[in-house]
């Protein structure tokens, strides 16, 4: 493959960005690759920030995508602590805050997502804790060693994993969730109840169907959370896990199509033929599911960049992997393949022992398997993936 005069530029130096650079080299691209990141850390993976790294079970070096020398060894120009201020699509330029514009032949946007802030009086990012970057995990890891009363706002995956880590550290924990159950929109009532029971069995005070009125405190010291019904819950640490927002400002300002992420086709190409997007920020057309879907999980950030790199090089490729996510909480591990949102399915089929938390679950619509989950049963992921991918009806 010939060396191109203009570089391939990747904006966003997380897992997706690093894997994009890696894939370009694996596909034989020999030209310049510029990987630009706003954080001072070299690319790292985020799952452990709320799992093993948060609890102290793994060391920091394990979170990085590549060893430090990898970037120089593979000719990847890694520009950290660098903010991109704009994209000039007409002249194919990426504007950098301090060093001026960089020209690109093709551009890959992997800017990920940011944690949503609590939209209530008294909320202050300097008082409550959010978990999105490695420094957040480091700070929260230190706080959990001394905290006595922890309130977690939000019963999603991040919130529940933080709750498990806080309980492991010995803190009293209250989880506040506005829905009737944690994970209700993700898993549905039947399986959401499993995780609600799991946390209650481990001493978590799980309060569902509640809304927050304010975060209370003095200066930068938090003292608790007040609910709309007037109830005040004491806390010396408040952790907010109320979802994420895709970082689409650069794309929107550049005139790219944006709707809950950057709109891309199955080749991960945006509305501009020279610009691609992957990972948490990409709302991609899924050829198997027949719809656009933005999946803010590790697997997309890991695998989508390989397809984006091929497309950038003119190689025909489409991203058709099923959505996948996993969690580890207390003594329960889970993996999930597929997509079954609220209203998508009409039946949940369970095989195994739910009370012992060793089972498989399948979400069906008209006898078609939309998604499957294994809980504390291993070596079955390939079969679950194949079943969902083929829309097999055998679980009826």
């Amino acid at each position: 493959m010939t060396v191109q005069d203009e570089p391939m530029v990747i904006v966003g130096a997380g897992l997706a960005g690093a894997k994009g650079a890696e894939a370009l080299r694996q596909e034989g691209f020999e030209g310049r690759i510029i990987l630009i990141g706003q954080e001072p850390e070299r690319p790292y993976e985020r799952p452990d920030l709320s799992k093993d790294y948060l609890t102290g079970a793994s060391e920091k070096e394990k979170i990085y995508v590549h060893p430090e020398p990898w970037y120089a060894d593979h000719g990847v120009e890694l520009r950290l602590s660098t903010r991109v201020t704009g994209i000039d699509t007409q002249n194919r330029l990426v504007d950098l805050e301090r060093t001026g514009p960089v020209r690109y032949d093709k551009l890959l946007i992997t800017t990920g997502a940011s944690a949503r802030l609590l939209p209530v009086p008294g909320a202050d990012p300097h008082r409550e804790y959010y978990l999105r970057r490695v420094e957040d995990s480091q700070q929260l890891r230190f706080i959990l060693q001394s905290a006595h009363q922890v309130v977690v706002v939000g019963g999603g995956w991040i919130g529940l994993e933080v709750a498990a880590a806080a309980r492991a550290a010995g803190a009293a924990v209250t989880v506040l969730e506005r829905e009737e159950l944690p994970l209700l929109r993700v898993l549905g009532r039947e399986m959401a109840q499993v995780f609600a029971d799991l946390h209650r069995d481990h001493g978590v005070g799980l309060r569902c169907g509640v809304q927050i009125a304010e975060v209370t405190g003095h200066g930068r010291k938090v003292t608790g959370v007040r609910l709309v019904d007037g109830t005040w819950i004491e806390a010396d640490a408040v952790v907010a896990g109320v979802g994420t927002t895709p970082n689409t400002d650069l794309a929107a300002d550049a005139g790219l199509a944006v709707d809950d992420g950057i709109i891309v086709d199955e080749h991960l190409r945006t509305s501009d033929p020279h610009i691609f997007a992957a990972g948490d920020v990409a709302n991609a057309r899924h050829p198997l599911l027949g719809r656009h879907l933005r999946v803010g999980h590790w697997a997309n950030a890991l695998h989508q960049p390989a397809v984006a790199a091929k497309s950038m090089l003119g190689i025909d490729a489409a991203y058709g992997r099923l959505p996948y996510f996993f969690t580890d909480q207390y003594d329960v591990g889970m993996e999930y393949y597929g997509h079954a949102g609220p209203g998508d399915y009409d039946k949940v089929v369970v095989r195994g022992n739910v009370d012992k938390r060793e089972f498989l679950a399948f979400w069906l619509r008209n006898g078609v398997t939309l998604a499957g989950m294994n809980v504390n049963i291993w070596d079955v992921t390939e079969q679950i993936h194949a079943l969902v991918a083929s829309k097999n009806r055998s679980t009826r």
Side-chain angles (χ1 to χ4, degrees):
M1 185 171 292
T2 59
V3 176
Q4 297 183 359
D5 293 333
E6 305 296 350
M8 298 292 194
V9 175
I10 303 172
V11 175
L15 172 60
K19 283 296 180 180
E22 179 183 308
L24 285 169
R25 289 294 185 234
Q26 289 178 339
E27 292 298 329
F29 179 69
E30 298 175 357
R32 290 179 66 197
I33 299 174
I34 302 175
L35 176 56
I36 304 167
Q38 192 165 341
E39 293 186 53
E41 299 279 355
R42 74 180 189 270
Y44 59 87
E45 302 189 36
R46 299 188 191 276
D48 265 5
L49 300 187
S50 60
K51 297 181 178 72
D52 285 352
Y53 184 64
L54 178 60
T55 63
S58 68
E59 297 302 318
K60 185 178 180 181
E61 190 60 30
K62 292 185 178 180
I63 71 173
Y64 293 111
V65 182
H66 299 113
E68 189 170 6
W70 184 91
Y71 299 93
D73 292 346
H74 289 81
V76 176
E77 301 174 37
L78 184 57
R79 303 190 184 184
L80 301 177
S81 301
T82 301
R83 192 171 78 88
V84 176
T85 57
I87 300 169
D88 179 348
T89 58
Q90 183 174 356
N91 296 300
R92 295 196 212 168
L93 296 173
V94 172
D95 295 319
L96 306 183
E97 187 172 51
R98 293 195 300 267
T99 59
V102 171
R103 191 174 299 278
Y104 63 85
D105 177 54
K106 297 291 191 303
L107 173 65
L108 176 59
I109 301 176
T110 57
T111 46
S114 296
R116 284 199 190 110
L117 303 182
L118 287 177
V120 297
D124 184 336
H126 299 294
R127 281 210 303 213
E128 61 265 6
Y129 300 96
Y130 295 86
L131 189 53
R132 190 65 190 170
R133 298 186 172 191
V134 63
E135 59 263 34
D136 300 331
S137 186
Q138 290 169 339
Q139 187 178 30
L140 187 55
R141 180 175 172 178
F142 174 77
I143 292 299
L144 292 183
Q145 293 174 359
S146 59
H148 299 290
Q149 301 279 343
V150 176
V151 168
V152 178
V153 182
W157 295 118
I158 293 294
L160 295 186
E161 288 174 357
V162 169
R167 288 297 295 135
V173 178
T174 301
V175 173
L176 305 177
E177 168 57 43
R178 66 180 180 179
E179 300 286 348
E180 297 176 46
L181 289 167
L183 305 172
L184 184 61
R185 292 180 177 273
V186 181
L187 298 180
R189 184 172 304 279
E190 299 91 342
M191 294 300 106
Q193 188 65 57
V194 172
F195 284 89
D197 293 343
L198 170 67
H199 281 268
R200 287 190 171 116
D201 288 350
H202 284 81
V204 172
L206 183 58
R207 304 194 59 169
C208 298
V210 299
Q211 295 186 47
I212 299 173
E214 65 173 326
V215 177
T216 62
H218 303 291
R220 290 196 174 185
K221 180 178 174 57
V222 70
T223 58
V225 172
R226 194 178 309 280
L227 305 182
V228 169
D229 66 6
T231 303
W232 182 71
I233 303 171
E234 183 180 2
D236 49 11
V238 173
V239 183
V242 291
T244 62
T245 302
N247 296 324
T248 58
D249 287 352
L250 280 174
D253 291 346
L256 303 181
V258 169
D259 183 8
D260 185 31
I262 302 172
I263 300 296
V264 295
D265 61 18
E266 61 267 32
H267 311 294
L268 302 181
R269 183 181 292 109
T270 72
S271 52
D272 184 307
H274 297 96
I275 303 178
F276 301 76
D280 291 6
V281 77
N283 188 346
R285 171 78 180 175
H286 197 288
L288 177 62
L289 301 178
R291 54 170 290 189
H292 274 82
L293 192 67
R294 187 179 72 85
V295 180
H297 291 293
W298 164 86
N300 268 28
L302 179 68
H303 298 297
Q304 277 188 342
V307 171
K310 288 181 179 181
S311 298
M312 292 167 75
L313 297 172
I315 302 169
D316 186 27
Y319 187 78
R321 280 180 175 264
L322 287 171
Y324 166 86
F325 59 86
F326 70 98
T327 190
D328 295 300
Q329 300 171 33
Y330 308 110
D331 55 351
V332 170
M334 178 276 276
E335 296 175 290
Y336 178 107
Y337 274 107
H339 180 74
D344 287 348
Y345 60 95
D346 54 35
K347 187 177 183 180
V348 177
V349 174
V350 178
R351 298 286 183 263
N353 192 320
V354 175
D355 292 337
K356 293 178 63 177
R357 301 186 182 109
E358 295 178 358
F359 65 92
L360 309 178
F362 302 92
W363 286 257
L364 283 70
R365 183 181 63 224
N366 298 327
V368 176
T369 306
L370 304 179
M373 177 176 76
N374 53 296
V375 176
N376 280 355
I377 295 178
W378 310 110
D379 300 325
V380 293
T381 53
E382 290 185 7
Q383 295 95 313
I384 292 175
H385 179 275
L387 177 64
V388 177
S390 65
K391 298 187 176 181
N392 193 305
R393 297 175 179 266
S394 65
T395 58
R396 282 184 298 175

